[in-house]
């Protein structure tokens, strides 16, 4: 990437005022802020066995270590976007970065499992303040080819963070730096957050909506109830033995979702500004783009969780070896993300279903390798499938970010990015809950994990097929 491609040039209007353009250092800083929450969602996967041994957590509390981060993260993302529109996106980015560093320190120093869960909840809330400001800042302070390049790098950062989180986690746990063990996966965030704060003060322009709306309290409460009633039982139900509360919670979900939509439409008709304006969802590009992001993110997170468990507990691979098996996927994803803008200029959004087809071929190749010789499976056997699947995913995600935000006005960038990352994060949590639960229910013993992994991969192929079909309905061109 050359400095001229992202140099500070003509300002971009935000509302009625010109906004400062986002320079290379500013882009690097906000992408760092995008990477940290995603890394922390996945980095813990390979650290769970060590946490269990050290804190005697047990399966239910280990599920809470994961879900305790993901639930507040998903629930508060739209609110975080709205607060950025209201108080300034750089300001909220700084607050979120500082809170993320402090809560990471609390996670790393947690003396027991319940303290770790509480710190993870706070860490998820901090991420929800920080992450929506990244896309909103990019959308408000770039345009044209610079915006396309920035969004491609954002997509590449997301893919690398999700795969790299597990790789980094394996390295840190195995290295046992100064006897820190699993705690290093959280403590490593602290100096990074401090560096991010210094860089953000110097390089990230302040943007906000010229017509900020007050917080939609009823909408916020109902969205939180709806997401919690769906995600909490799905993430905790299997480990808890599906008690009565899980079924009651699932039964509440459709009513909470219906009430949320009614309240939002009513506020829109009255001229108020709802948390998720129905008029925003009326944008064809946003609506259809989100429908593709949902199954893509669900399948990806489920795969990452399942492959980590299968390789470590089923084949006895170490944390580093299981993480390194993902390197071909991460590198291919990054390469495809960088090639995306050129491919989109030539082929439009048909790049997305083409990417889904490649992803499906890669997943099928991995399933074939698992079925052919599970006990003798090595990272080299997985390499072709991992690389092809990663390349296919890299062709999809960055383009989808551009599609979703292409028609969103700059003054509503916080809301638009908040909606998209909420869908993405909810799907990531659902992927672990659904595909992860399917795999664990089929793999009651290490000897059964090969067959369970192959079955789960075949189910994921169905999810990829849905992504391909939905991708065909995207608008042909994207701004």
């Amino acid at each position: 990437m050359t400095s001229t491609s992202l140099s500070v040039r003509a300002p971009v209007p935000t509302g009625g005022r010109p906004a400062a353009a986002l320079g290379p250092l500013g882009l690097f800083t906000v992408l760092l802020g995008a990477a940290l929450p995603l890394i922390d969602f996945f980095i813990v996967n390979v650290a769970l066995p060590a946490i269990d041994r050290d804190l005697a957590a047990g399966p239910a509390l280990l599920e809470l270590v994961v879900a305790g981060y993901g639930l507040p993260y998903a629930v508060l993302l739209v609110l975080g976007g709205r607060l950025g529109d209201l108080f300034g996106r750089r300001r909220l980015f700084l607050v979120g970065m500082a809170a993320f560093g402090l809560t990471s320190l609390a996670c790393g120093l947690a003396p027991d499992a319940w303290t770790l869960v509480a710190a993870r909840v706070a860490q998820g809330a901090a991420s929800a303040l920080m992450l929506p400001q990244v896309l909103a800042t990019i959308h408000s302070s770039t345009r044209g080819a610079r915006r396309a390049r920035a969004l491609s790098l954002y997509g590449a950062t997301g893919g690398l963070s999700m795969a790299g989180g597990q790789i980094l986690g394996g390295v840190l746990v195995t290295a046992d730096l100064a006897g820190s063990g699993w705690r290093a996966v959280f403590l490593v965030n602290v100096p990074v957050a401090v560096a991010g704060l210094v860089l953000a003060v110097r390089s990230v322009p302040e943007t906000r909506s010229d017509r900020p709306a007050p917080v939609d309290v009823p909408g916020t409460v109902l969205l939180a109830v709806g997401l919690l009633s769906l995600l909490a039982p799905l993430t905790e139900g299997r480990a808890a033995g599906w008690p009565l509360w899980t079924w009651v919670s699932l039964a509440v979900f459709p009513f909470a979702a219906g009430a949320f939509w009614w309240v939002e439409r009513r506020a829109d008709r009255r001229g108020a500004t709802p948390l998720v304006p129905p008029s925003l969802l009326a944008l064809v590009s946003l609506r259809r783009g989100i429908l593709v992001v949902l199954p893509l993110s669900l399948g990806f997170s489920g795969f990452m969780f399942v492959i980590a468990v299968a390789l470590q507990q089923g084949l006895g691979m170490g944390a580093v070896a299981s993480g390194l098996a993902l390197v071909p996927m991460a590198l291919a994803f990054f390469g495809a993300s960088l090639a995306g803008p050129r491919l989109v200029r030539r082929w439009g959004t048909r790049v997305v279903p083409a990417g889904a087809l490649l992803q499906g071929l890669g997943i099928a190749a991995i399933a074939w390798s698992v079925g052919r010789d599970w006990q003798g499976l090595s990272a080299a056997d997985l390499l072709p499938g991992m690389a092809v699947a990663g390349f296919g995913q890299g062709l999809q995600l960055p383009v989808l970010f551009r599609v979703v935000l292409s028609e969103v006005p700059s003054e509503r960038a916080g809301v638009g990015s908040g909606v998209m990352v909420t869908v993405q994060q909810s799907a990531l949590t659902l992927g672990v809950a659904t595909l992860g639960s399917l795999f664990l229910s089929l793999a009651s013993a290490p000897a059964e994990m090969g067959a369970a992994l192959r079955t789960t991969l075949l189910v994921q192929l169905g999810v990829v097929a849905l992504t391909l079909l939905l991708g065909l309905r995207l608008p042909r061109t994207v701004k």
Side-chain angles (χ1 to χ4, degrees):
M1 177 176 58
T2 63
S3 59
T4 56
S5 63
L6 289 169
S7 60
V8 179
R9 292 185 291 189
V12 180
T14 302
R17 296 193 306 267
L22 185 67
L25 184 60
L27 178 61
F28 171 82
T29 303
V30 294
L31 291 180
L32 180 67
L36 286 175
L38 287 171
I39 287 173
D40 249 59
F41 185 87
F42 288 93
I43 199 172
V44 76
N45 284 347
V46 294
L48 290 176
I51 293 172
D52 189 20
R53 288 193 302 269
D54 192 23
L55 301 183
L61 277 178
L62 287 178
E63 293 267 6
L64 279 175
V65 170
V66 178
Y69 178 80
L71 290 175
Y73 186 16
V75 165
L76 298 174
L77 278 166
V78 177
L79 178 61
R82 174 62 60 83
L83 292 175
D85 287 349
L86 185 62
F87 296 110
R89 292 159 190 145
R90 186 180 76 158
R91 181 179 298 176
L92 264 292
F93 182 84
L94 291 169
V95 170
M97 180 72 80
F100 186 85
L102 291 173
T103 53
S104 295
L105 180 63
C107 289
L109 300 179
D112 54 62
W114 280 109
T115 304
L116 178 59
V117 169
R120 286 283 281 172
V121 170
Q123 191 185 36
S127 297
L129 285 180
M130 179 168 57
L131 186 61
Q133 318 315 326
V134 175
L135 272 177
T137 298
I138 290 173
H139 189 66
S140 299
S141 55
T142 61
R143 63 180 176 189
R146 292 174 57 238
R147 179 182 293 178
R149 175 68 66 86
L151 289 174
S152 294
L153 289 171
Y154 178 90
T157 300
L160 283 175
S161 299
M162 289 185 274
Q166 293 190 191
I167 298 169
L168 178 62
V171 171
L172 290 174
V173 171
T174 304
D176 193 21
L177 301 172
S180 58
W182 59 267
R183 298 178 186 276
V185 305
F186 300 112
L187 295 176
V188 72
N189 294 331
V190 178
V192 177
V194 172
L197 285 170
V198 174
L199 291 173
V201 169
R202 296 183 58 187
S203 62
V204 177
E206 181 65 281
T207 63
R208 71 181 73 199
S209 173
D210 273 357
R211 297 183 294 276
V215 173
D216 174 15
V217 176
T220 302
V221 171
L222 285 170
L223 178 63
V225 170
L227 288 175
L228 285 172
S229 65
L230 175 66
L231 298 177
L234 289 178
T235 53
E236 283 298 299
R238 187 196 61 82
W242 297 104
L244 178 62
W245 73 263
T246 59
W247 300 108
V248 171
S249 182
L250 287 172
V252 166
F253 169 69
F255 295 100
F260 170 73
W261 187 245
W262 180 81
V263 165
E264 298 299 273
R265 290 192 64 183
R266 184 168 177 266
D268 220 9
R269 286 195 298 266
R270 287 190 293 106
T273 306
L275 185 69
V276 180
S279 56
L280 199 64
L281 295 179
L283 298 174
V284 173
S285 57
L286 183 140
R287 186 175 66 252
R288 293 185 180 179
I290 279 177
L291 285 177
V292 186
V293 169
L294 181 59
L296 176 62
S297 300
L298 185 152
F300 187 77
S301 66
F303 172 84
M304 297 295 288
F305 175 80
V306 166
I307 202 71
V309 174
L311 294 182
Q312 289 190 77
Q313 297 184 12
L315 291 181
M317 285 189 183
V320 172
S322 66
L324 291 178
L326 299 170
V327 169
M329 175 175 283
L331 293 178
F333 190 108
F334 185 71
S337 299
L338 296 183
R342 293 191 299 273
L343 295 173
V344 169
R345 283 196 294 270
R346 181 169 182 179
W347 302 106
T349 59
R350 288 298 179 260
V351 169
V352 173
L357 180 60
L358 286 174
Q359 182 189 1
L361 292 174
I363 296 297
I366 295 171
W368 179 81
S369 297
V370 169
R372 184 176 60 89
D373 184 13
W374 167 243
Q375 292 300 329
L377 191 70
S378 67
D381 297 323
L382 295 174
L383 191 153
M386 288 283 189
V388 174
F391 194 85
Q393 290 163 343
L395 290 179
Q396 296 173 78
L397 199 58
V399 178
L400 288 171
F401 291 148
R402 288 180 61 187
V403 170
V404 169
L405 295 176
S406 61
E407 296 180 313
V408 177
S410 293
E411 65 270 13
R412 303 176 89 177
V415 179
S417 61
V419 169
M420 191 186 72
V421 293
T422 296
V423 171
Q424 184 188 24
Q425 181 58 41
S426 300
L428 291 175
T429 306
L430 276 173
V432 175
T434 52
L435 293 179
S437 293
L438 170 65
F439 170 77
L440 293 173
S441 66
L442 295 173
S444 55
E448 299 173 348
M449 285 195 175
L453 176 58
R454 185 173 56 180
T455 300
T456 306
L457 290 172
L458 293 176
V459 172
Q460 188 187 353
L461 276 178
V463 178
V464 173
L466 176 61
T467 305
L468 192 157
L469 293 174
L470 291 172
L472 292 172
R473 300 187 69 247
L474 293 171
R476 290 298 299 268
T477 58
V478 58
K479 296 178 182 177

